[in-house]
Amino acid sequence: ARQVEKSTTLGNRILAVSCLIPHFRTLYVSPSAQQTQEFSKTRIREILETSPDLRRWFPAHLTDNVFEKKSINRSAVTLRYAFLNADRCRGLRADLVALDEIQDILLENIPVIEEAASHSPYRNFIYSGTPKSLDNPIEHYWANFSTQNEWAVPCERHGVPKDPGSWHWNILGEENIGKLGLICDKCGGRIDAAHPLAQWVRTGSPDPTLSVFEGYRIPQLMVPWIDWKDLYTKYQDYPRAMFFNECLGLSFDS
């Protein structure tokens, strides 16, 4: 969903591996120049400016501009954008490929971008975005190649007390939206997304050959900083497709 710290996670991971692994190369790609510049400014540069420890790893006398950052251990972060084609990503090599707002990157461009890591011993990929229709790159990778991990929240009103295996477990969606808070989709009672036993569960194919990616759906229903009154207002006012995309992190087609 929107505003669940997807880009922040990408930025933090990029900086972490760049510091930890010498000569590590990262390629970050978003759909547009404006989005890439915004990521470089708010998720990379501002973090470096506010962290003395990280700033020592990326001194100003090394390459330090919007589209290129270099560390003292010779790790490098290259930032590009690819909308109609992936030409700006050709000729680059990477150990980590990070695609942001992947729903707006043309599906046929993604294999071209991934080739940057074809000769890497690490070959690490991390993709994030907010889904739109059922015909977009997120839905393609989520439905066909991921573990489809969902946040499962228990309702202890069902089954045997102190026996989690007998409880009813909620996969958070539209049926869990109550007027005052998160509710069980079976009994309508209040549940807590931060329940001590709430956990990620795999809902995709158990066949490991079909699950190339660890996939996680993060709806606004589960994040701790959500203002429920504001969320419920969105539920009432947003078009259904918009609410599914923006708040639930679900693809939607009428």
Side-chain angles (χ1 to χ4, degrees):
R2 295 287 300 280
Q3 305 306 321
V4 295
E5 317 307 352
K6 301 182 300 297
S7 296
T8 299
T9 298
L10 288 184
N12 290 345
R13 179 161 179 166
I14 287 170
L15 291 174
V17 294
S18 296
C19 294
L20 289 169
I21 308 174
H23 304 281
F24 193 87
R25 291 180 173 269
T26 298
L27 173 61
Y28 168 90
V29 183
S30 82
S32 70
Q34 182 179 359
Q35 287 168 309
T36 295
Q37 290 168 350
E38 181 69 13
F39 179 88
S40 180
K41 174 184 175 182
T42 62
R43 303 308 196 278
I44 301 294
R45 191 182 76 188
E46 287 187 6
I47 305 304
L48 296 178
E49 288 176 348
T50 55
S51 170
D53 291 329
L54 283 174
R55 192 161 60 243
R56 283 194 288 269
W57 285 89
F58 291 86
H61 70 270
L62 296 179
T63 305
D64 182 19
N65 57 60
V66 171
F67 297 109
E68 191 84 23
K69 308 283 185 185
K70 285 193 175 179
S71 170
I72 55 175
N73 65 357
R74 293 304 182 255
S75 289
V77 181
T78 303
L79 302 101
R80 294 290 185 267
Y81 55 96
F83 182 56
L84 295 178
N85 60 65
D87 289 349
R88 296 175 187 84
C89 303
R90 295 181 185 275
L92 301 174
R93 63 185 181 89
D95 301 300
L96 167 63
V97 174
L99 302 188
D100 203 6
E101 304 296 348
I102 188 178
Q103 75 278 358
D104 293 324
I105 297 177
L106 292 179
L107 192 60
E108 56 265 33
N109 288 336
I110 295 176
V112 179
I113 300 170
E114 290 176 336
E115 277 298 313
S118 62
H119 198 209
S120 168
Y122 299 102
R123 286 178 55 82
N124 198 269
F125 304 93
I126 180 170
Y127 302 157
S128 75
T130 305
K132 291 182 175 180
S133 71
L134 293 172
D135 183 18
N136 71 83
I138 282 187
E139 186 64 25
H140 173 74
Y141 283 104
W142 169 262
N144 300 311
F145 303 107
S146 89
T147 54
Q148 299 179 50
N149 297 334
E150 298 274 7
W151 188 246
V153 181
C155 180
E156 299 182 43
R157 299 175 186 86
H158 311 275
V160 180
K162 297 185 180 180
D163 179 12
S166 67
W167 298 344
H168 176 68
W169 291 80
N170 294 265
I171 302 298
L172 301 182
E174 185 179 20
E175 300 81 6
N176 299 109
I177 300 172
K179 190 171 184 179
L180 300 177
L182 202 64
I183 61 173
C184 173
D185 58 24
K186 188 172 183 179
C187 69
R190 290 288 295 273
I191 57 175
D192 183 7
H195 189 287
L197 296 182
Q199 59 192 281
W200 289 106
V201 296
R202 176 175 177 156
T203 66
S205 170
D207 184 350
T209 63
L210 300 177
S211 302
V212 180
F213 289 93
E214 283 285 335
Y216 297 87
R217 181 176 69 93
I218 307 176
Q220 290 186 1
L221 304 182
M222 66 176 284
V223 295
W225 55 85
I226 191 67
D227 182 326
W228 196 266
K229 184 178 179 181
D230 180 51
L231 178 73
Y232 195 76
T233 299
K234 294 177 187 177
Y235 181 52
Q236 292 180 307
D237 296 345
Y238 279 12
R240 196 154 185 261
M242 181 186 294
F243 184 81
F244 268 57
N245 292 166
E246 303 290 294
C247 301
L248 298 183
L250 290 169
S251 300
F252 188 95
D253 262 329
S254 60

